[in-house]
mmCIF file of all heavy atoms in Angstrom:
data_model
loop_
_atom_site.group_PDB
_atom_site.id
_atom_site.type_symbol
_atom_site.label_atom_id
_atom_site.label_comp_id
_atom_site.label_asym_id
_atom_site.label_seq_id
_atom_site.Cartn_x
_atom_site.Cartn_y
_atom_site.Cartn_z
ATOM 1 N N ARG A 105 70.313 7.501 155.294
ATOM 2 C CA ARG A 105 70.120 8.938 155.463
ATOM 3 C C ARG A 105 68.937 9.452 154.615
ATOM 4 O O ARG A 105 68.148 10.304 155.003
ATOM 5 C CB ARG A 105 71.367 9.677 155.105
ATOM 6 C CG ARG A 105 71.445 11.116 155.620
ATOM 7 C CD ARG A 105 71.363 11.217 157.168
ATOM 8 N NE ARG A 105 72.382 10.319 157.733
ATOM 9 C CZ ARG A 105 73.643 10.707 158.029
ATOM 10 N NH1 ARG A 105 74.014 11.982 157.733
ATOM 11 N NH2 ARG A 105 74.503 9.885 158.617
ATOM 12 N N GLU A 106 68.821 8.894 153.393
ATOM 13 C CA GLU A 106 67.723 9.291 152.511
ATOM 14 C C GLU A 106 66.419 8.885 153.150
ATOM 15 O O GLU A 106 65.375 9.534 153.004
ATOM 16 C CB GLU A 106 67.886 8.674 151.151
ATOM 17 C CG GLU A 106 66.954 9.223 150.044
ATOM 18 C CD GLU A 106 67.287 8.760 148.676
ATOM 19 O OE1 GLU A 106 67.942 7.747 148.544
ATOM 20 O OE2 GLU A 106 66.950 9.486 147.725
ATOM 21 N N MET A 107 66.376 7.675 153.740
ATOM 22 C CA MET A 107 65.141 7.231 154.401
ATOM 23 C C MET A 107 64.783 8.179 155.572
ATOM 24 O O MET A 107 63.547 8.508 155.765
ATOM 25 C CB MET A 107 65.322 5.821 154.981
ATOM 26 C CG MET A 107 65.347 4.728 153.852
ATOM 27 S SD MET A 107 65.548 3.079 154.537
ATOM 28 C CE MET A 107 64.052 2.948 155.472
ATOM 29 N N GLU A 108 65.764 8.652 156.263
ATOM 30 C CA GLU A 108 65.535 9.492 157.437
ATOM 31 C C GLU A 108 64.842 10.827 157.002
ATOM 32 O O GLU A 108 64.041 11.413 157.691
ATOM 33 C CB GLU A 108 66.818 9.859 158.153
ATOM 34 C CG GLU A 108 67.443 8.620 158.925
ATOM 35 C CD GLU A 108 68.767 8.998 159.489
ATOM 36 O OE1 GLU A 108 69.207 10.127 159.415
ATOM 37 O OE2 GLU A 108 69.414 8.036 160.029
ATOM 38 N N ILE A 109 65.232 11.294 155.815
ATOM 39 C CA ILE A 109 64.631 12.558 155.296
ATOM 40 C C ILE A 109 63.140 12.429 155.053
ATOM 41 O O ILE A 109 62.360 13.289 155.315
ATOM 42 C CB ILE A 109 65.345 13.016 154.034
ATOM 43 C CG1 ILE A 109 66.802 13.455 154.377
ATOM 44 C CG2 ILE A 109 64.617 14.112 153.361
ATOM 45 C CD1 ILE A 109 67.638 13.780 153.193
ATOM 46 N N GLY A 110 62.755 11.178 154.602
ATOM 47 C CA GLY A 110 61.405 10.857 154.452
ATOM 48 C C GLY A 110 60.662 11.480 153.300
ATOM 49 O O GLY A 110 59.427 11.565 153.345
ATOM 50 N N SER A 111 61.309 11.928 152.263
ATOM 51 C CA SER A 111 60.643 12.451 151.086
ATOM 52 C C SER A 111 60.174 11.387 150.234
ATOM 53 O O SER A 111 60.807 10.372 150.006
ATOM 54 C CB SER A 111 61.651 13.342 150.357
ATOM 55 O OG SER A 111 61.071 13.821 149.096
ATOM 56 N N ALA A 112 59.001 11.580 149.598
ATOM 57 C CA ALA A 112 58.430 10.604 148.644
ATOM 58 C C ALA A 112 59.033 10.756 147.287
ATOM 59 O O ALA A 112 59.002 9.871 146.501
ATOM 60 C CB ALA A 112 56.911 10.770 148.540
ATOM 61 N N SER A 113 59.604 11.977 147.041
ATOM 62 C CA SER A 113 60.192 12.244 145.732
ATOM 63 C C SER A 113 61.718 12.047 145.713
ATOM 64 O O SER A 113 62.507 13.029 145.886
ATOM 65 C CB SER A 113 59.890 13.679 145.311
ATOM 66 O OG SER A 113 58.420 13.845 145.270
ATOM 67 N N THR A 114 62.129 10.823 145.696
ATOM 68 C CA THR A 114 63.573 10.466 145.790
ATOM 69 C C THR A 114 64.067 9.802 144.525
ATOM 70 O O THR A 114 63.265 9.266 143.761
ATOM 71 C CB THR A 114 63.835 9.548 147.019
ATOM 72 O OG1 THR A 114 63.093 8.331 146.880
ATOM 73 C CG2 THR A 114 63.469 10.230 148.289
ATOM 74 N N TRP A 115 65.315 9.914 144.323
ATOM 75 C CA TRP A 115 65.961 9.257 143.118
ATOM 76 C C TRP A 115 67.278 8.687 143.626
ATOM 77 O O TRP A 115 68.127 9.365 144.239
ATOM 78 C CB TRP A 115 66.123 10.251 142.068
ATOM 79 C CG TRP A 115 66.672 9.719 140.753
ATOM 80 C CD1 TRP A 115 66.486 8.439 140.268
ATOM 81 C CD2 TRP A 115 67.500 10.347 139.830
ATOM 82 N NE1 TRP A 115 67.123 8.352 139.060
ATOM 83 C CE2 TRP A 115 67.746 9.449 138.737
ATOM 84 C CE3 TRP A 115 68.001 11.656 139.746
ATOM 85 C CZ2 TRP A 115 68.512 9.838 137.616
ATOM 86 C CZ3 TRP A 115 68.713 11.980 138.598
ATOM 87 C CH2 TRP A 115 68.978 11.130 137.612
ATOM 88 N N VAL A 116 67.593 7.438 143.222
ATOM 89 C CA VAL A 116 68.825 6.766 143.659
ATOM 90 C C VAL A 116 69.729 6.556 142.443
ATOM 91 O O VAL A 116 69.315 5.799 141.504
ATOM 92 C CB VAL A 116 68.604 5.419 144.357
ATOM 93 C CG1 VAL A 116 69.913 4.786 144.669
ATOM 94 C CG2 VAL A 116 67.704 5.657 145.662
ATOM 95 N N LEU A 117 70.882 7.195 142.463
ATOM 96 C CA LEU A 117 71.881 6.986 141.367
ATOM 97 C C LEU A 117 72.861 5.970 141.892
ATOM 98 O O LEU A 117 73.678 6.314 142.832
ATOM 99 C CB LEU A 117 72.531 8.268 141.049
ATOM 100 C CG LEU A 117 71.751 9.251 140.136
ATOM 101 C CD1 LEU A 117 72.351 10.622 140.165
ATOM 102 C CD2 LEU A 117 71.634 8.739 138.730
ATOM 103 N N ALA A 118 72.810 4.725 141.432
ATOM 104 C CA ALA A 118 73.692 3.658 141.974
ATOM 105 C C ALA A 118 73.663 2.548 141.011
ATOM 106 O O ALA A 118 72.973 2.535 140.040
ATOM 107 C CB ALA A 118 73.094 3.253 143.359
ATOM 108 N N ASN A 119 74.512 1.530 141.278
ATOM 109 C CA ASN A 119 74.537 0.343 140.449
ATOM 110 C C ASN A 119 73.261 -0.503 140.743
ATOM 111 O O ASN A 119 72.554 -0.295 141.684
ATOM 112 C CB ASN A 119 75.866 -0.477 140.661
ATOM 113 C CG ASN A 119 75.889 -1.126 142.019
ATOM 114 O OD1 ASN A 119 74.925 -1.304 142.742
ATOM 115 N ND2 ASN A 119 77.120 -1.523 142.435
ATOM 116 N N PRO A 120 72.947 -1.422 139.844
ATOM 117 C CA PRO A 120 71.701 -2.203 140.027
ATOM 118 C C PRO A 120 71.510 -2.874 141.335
ATOM 119 O O PRO A 120 70.455 -2.885 141.913
ATOM 120 C CB PRO A 120 71.695 -3.214 138.876
ATOM 121 C CG PRO A 120 72.599 -2.534 137.792
ATOM 122 C CD PRO A 120 73.625 -1.758 138.570
ATOM 123 N N ARG A 121 72.644 -3.406 141.871
ATOM 124 C CA ARG A 121 72.573 -4.089 143.154
ATOM 125 C C ARG A 121 72.083 -3.124 144.331
ATOM 126 O O ARG A 121 71.236 -3.507 145.129
ATOM 127 C CB ARG A 121 73.959 -4.641 143.480
ATOM 128 C CG ARG A 121 74.001 -5.640 144.627
ATOM 129 C CD ARG A 121 75.350 -6.220 144.829
ATOM 130 N NE ARG A 121 75.305 -7.492 145.561
ATOM 131 C CZ ARG A 121 75.141 -8.652 144.982
ATOM 132 N NH1 ARG A 121 74.963 -8.746 143.655
ATOM 133 N NH2 ARG A 121 75.127 -9.763 145.737
ATOM 134 N N MET A 122 72.650 -1.884 144.312
ATOM 135 C CA MET A 122 72.286 -0.955 145.365
ATOM 136 C C MET A 122 70.883 -0.329 145.099
ATOM 137 O O MET A 122 70.236 0.078 146.052
ATOM 138 C CB MET A 122 73.377 0.080 145.488
ATOM 139 C CG MET A 122 74.703 -0.396 145.944
ATOM 140 S SD MET A 122 74.617 -1.366 147.540
ATOM 141 C CE MET A 122 74.461 0.009 148.688
ATOM 142 N N ARG A 123 70.527 -0.242 143.885
ATOM 143 C CA ARG A 123 69.126 0.263 143.588
ATOM 144 C C ARG A 123 68.129 -0.705 144.052
ATOM 145 O O ARG A 123 67.046 -0.402 144.591
ATOM 146 C CB ARG A 123 69.004 0.615 142.116
ATOM 147 C CG ARG A 123 69.598 1.905 141.686
ATOM 148 C CD ARG A 123 69.784 1.992 140.155
ATOM 149 N NE ARG A 123 68.565 2.014 139.422
ATOM 150 C CZ ARG A 123 67.842 3.074 139.122
ATOM 151 N NH1 ARG A 123 68.264 4.291 139.595
ATOM 152 N NH2 ARG A 123 66.751 2.995 138.412
ATOM 153 N N LEU A 124 68.488 -2.039 143.915
ATOM 154 C CA LEU A 124 67.579 -3.062 144.384
ATOM 155 C C LEU A 124 67.493 -2.993 145.937
ATOM 156 O O LEU A 124 66.336 -3.125 146.557
ATOM 157 C CB LEU A 124 68.108 -4.470 144.005
ATOM 158 C CG LEU A 124 67.310 -5.664 144.467
ATOM 159 C CD1 LEU A 124 65.865 -5.604 143.961
ATOM 160 C CD2 LEU A 124 67.956 -6.965 144.053
ATOM 161 N N LEU A 125 68.600 -2.769 146.618
ATOM 162 C CA LEU A 125 68.622 -2.623 148.059
ATOM 163 C C LEU A 125 67.763 -1.360 148.455
ATOM 164 O O LEU A 125 66.962 -1.479 149.433
ATOM 165 C CB LEU A 125 70.081 -2.445 148.571
ATOM 166 C CG LEU A 125 70.171 -2.152 150.075
ATOM 167 C CD1 LEU A 125 69.584 -3.266 150.923
ATOM 168 C CD2 LEU A 125 71.655 -1.982 150.437
ATOM 169 N N ALA A 126 67.929 -0.296 147.746
ATOM 170 C CA ALA A 126 67.135 0.894 147.979
ATOM 171 C C ALA A 126 65.615 0.590 147.925
ATOM 172 O O ALA A 126 64.807 0.994 148.778
ATOM 173 C CB ALA A 126 67.552 1.999 147.079
ATOM 174 N N ARG A 127 65.245 -0.179 146.877
ATOM 175 C CA ARG A 127 63.882 -0.500 146.694
ATOM 176 C C ARG A 127 63.376 -1.401 147.824
ATOM 177 O O ARG A 127 62.248 -1.180 148.380
ATOM 178 C CB ARG A 127 63.672 -1.259 145.364
ATOM 179 C CG ARG A 127 62.173 -1.422 144.983
ATOM 180 C CD ARG A 127 62.085 -2.308 143.722
ATOM 181 N NE ARG A 127 62.682 -1.677 142.521
ATOM 182 C CZ ARG A 127 61.996 -0.816 141.776
ATOM 183 N NH1 ARG A 127 60.778 -0.429 142.039
ATOM 184 N NH2 ARG A 127 62.543 -0.313 140.693
ATOM 185 N N ARG A 128 64.158 -2.343 148.284
ATOM 186 C CA ARG A 128 63.830 -3.205 149.443
ATOM 187 C C ARG A 128 63.621 -2.386 150.674
ATOM 188 O O ARG A 128 62.893 -2.723 151.591
ATOM 189 C CB ARG A 128 64.819 -4.230 149.621
ATOM 190 C CG ARG A 128 64.813 -5.338 148.521
ATOM 191 C CD ARG A 128 65.936 -6.287 148.714
ATOM 192 N NE ARG A 128 65.896 -7.427 147.689
ATOM 193 C CZ ARG A 128 66.850 -8.296 147.501
ATOM 194 N NH1 ARG A 128 68.043 -8.180 148.164
ATOM 195 N NH2 ARG A 128 66.666 -9.268 146.587
ATOM 196 N N LEU A 129 64.360 -1.274 150.765
ATOM 197 C CA LEU A 129 64.253 -0.398 152.004
ATOM 198 C C LEU A 129 63.039 0.487 151.927
ATOM 199 O O LEU A 129 62.721 1.200 152.870
ATOM 200 C CB LEU A 129 65.539 0.444 152.156
ATOM 201 C CG LEU A 129 66.812 -0.277 152.498
ATOM 202 C CD1 LEU A 129 68.005 0.658 152.414
ATOM 203 C CD2 LEU A 129 66.743 -0.873 153.841
ATOM 204 N N GLY A 130 62.392 0.457 150.771
ATOM 205 C CA GLY A 130 61.168 1.250 150.632
ATOM 206 C C GLY A 130 61.356 2.620 150.000
ATOM 207 O O GLY A 130 60.415 3.500 149.972
ATOM 208 N N LEU A 131 62.546 2.834 149.375
ATOM 209 C CA LEU A 131 62.845 4.074 148.768
ATOM 210 C C LEU A 131 62.372 4.037 147.354
ATOM 211 O O LEU A 131 62.371 2.978 146.645
ATOM 212 C CB LEU A 131 64.327 4.359 148.788
ATOM 213 C CG LEU A 131 64.961 4.729 150.092
ATOM 214 C CD1 LEU A 131 66.477 4.725 150.053
ATOM 215 C CD2 LEU A 131 64.482 6.139 150.543
ATOM 216 N N SER A 132 61.959 5.224 146.855
ATOM 217 C CA SER A 132 61.619 5.359 145.471
ATOM 218 C C SER A 132 62.934 5.546 144.680
ATOM 219 O O SER A 132 63.719 6.509 144.937
ATOM 220 C CB SER A 132 60.707 6.549 145.204
ATOM 221 O OG SER A 132 60.646 6.906 143.791
ATOM 222 N N ILE A 133 63.266 4.699 143.703
ATOM 223 C CA ILE A 133 64.555 4.775 142.975
ATOM 224 C C ILE A 133 64.435 5.642 141.745
ATOM 225 O O ILE A 133 65.460 5.943 141.187
ATOM 226 C CB ILE A 133 65.156 3.414 142.725
ATOM 227 C CG1 ILE A 133 64.301 2.640 141.825
ATOM 228 C CG2 ILE A 133 65.399 2.654 144.010
ATOM 229 C CD1 ILE A 133 64.921 1.302 141.325
ATOM 230 N N GLU A 134 63.231 5.919 141.329
ATOM 231 C CA GLU A 134 63.023 6.730 140.126
ATOM 232 C C GLU A 134 61.972 7.823 140.411
ATOM 233 O O GLU A 134 60.910 7.534 141.031
ATOM 234 C CB GLU A 134 62.590 5.915 138.958
ATOM 235 C CG GLU A 134 63.668 5.013 138.384
ATOM 236 C CD GLU A 134 64.726 5.745 137.650
ATOM 237 O OE1 GLU A 134 64.547 6.947 137.415
ATOM 238 O OE2 GLU A 134 65.694 5.074 137.272
ATOM 239 N N CYS A 135 62.275 9.072 140.007
ATOM 240 C CA CYS A 135 61.331 10.122 140.183
ATOM 241 C C CYS A 135 61.676 11.191 139.168
ATOM 242 O O CYS A 135 62.841 11.544 139.006
ATOM 243 C CB CYS A 135 61.381 10.738 141.577
ATOM 244 S SG CYS A 135 60.232 12.102 141.874
ATOM 245 N N GLU A 136 60.723 11.653 138.414
ATOM 246 C CA GLU A 136 61.030 12.645 137.368
ATOM 247 C C GLU A 136 61.554 13.936 137.893
ATOM 248 O O GLU A 136 62.371 14.578 137.381
ATOM 249 C CB GLU A 136 59.733 12.837 136.485
ATOM 250 C CG GLU A 136 59.564 11.832 135.389
ATOM 251 C CD GLU A 136 60.760 11.655 134.502
ATOM 252 O OE1 GLU A 136 61.290 12.706 133.990
ATOM 253 O OE2 GLU A 136 61.196 10.508 134.374
ATOM 254 N N VAL A 137 60.918 14.359 138.997
ATOM 255 C CA VAL A 137 61.361 15.688 139.646
ATOM 256 C C VAL A 137 61.609 15.411 141.105
ATOM 257 O O VAL A 137 60.833 15.725 141.945
ATOM 258 C CB VAL A 137 60.306 16.759 139.480
ATOM 259 C CG1 VAL A 137 60.857 18.089 139.966
ATOM 260 C CG2 VAL A 137 59.826 16.896 138.057
ATOM 261 N N PRO A 138 62.826 14.834 141.379
ATOM 262 C CA PRO A 138 63.096 14.489 142.794
ATOM 263 C C PRO A 138 63.446 15.676 143.693
ATOM 264 O O PRO A 138 64.016 16.661 143.229
ATOM 265 C CB PRO A 138 64.330 13.588 142.590
ATOM 266 C CG PRO A 138 65.021 14.105 141.370
ATOM 267 C CD PRO A 138 63.895 14.528 140.446
ATOM 268 N N ASP A 139 63.099 15.466 144.952
ATOM 269 C CA ASP A 139 63.457 16.522 145.985
ATOM 270 C C ASP A 139 64.793 16.113 146.561
ATOM 271 O O ASP A 139 65.541 16.938 147.134
ATOM 272 C CB ASP A 139 62.373 16.517 147.077
ATOM 273 C CG ASP A 139 61.077 17.095 146.572
ATOM 274 O OD1 ASP A 139 61.151 17.973 145.696
ATOM 275 O OD2 ASP A 139 60.006 16.681 147.074
#
Side-chain angles (χ1 to χ4, degrees):
R105 195 64 52 89
E106 191 171 24
M107 288 181 64
E108 289 173 7
I109 292 174
S111 172
S113 302
T114 60
W115 184 32
V116 177
L117 284 165
N119 68 19
R121 194 175 200 88
M122 295 304 285
R123 281 164 66 87
L124 178 59
L125 175 59
R127 191 187 294 276
R128 287 175 176 169
L129 292 172
L131 289 169
S132 168
I133 64 171
E134 289 288 352
C135 180
E136 276 308 308
V137 187
D139 292 327

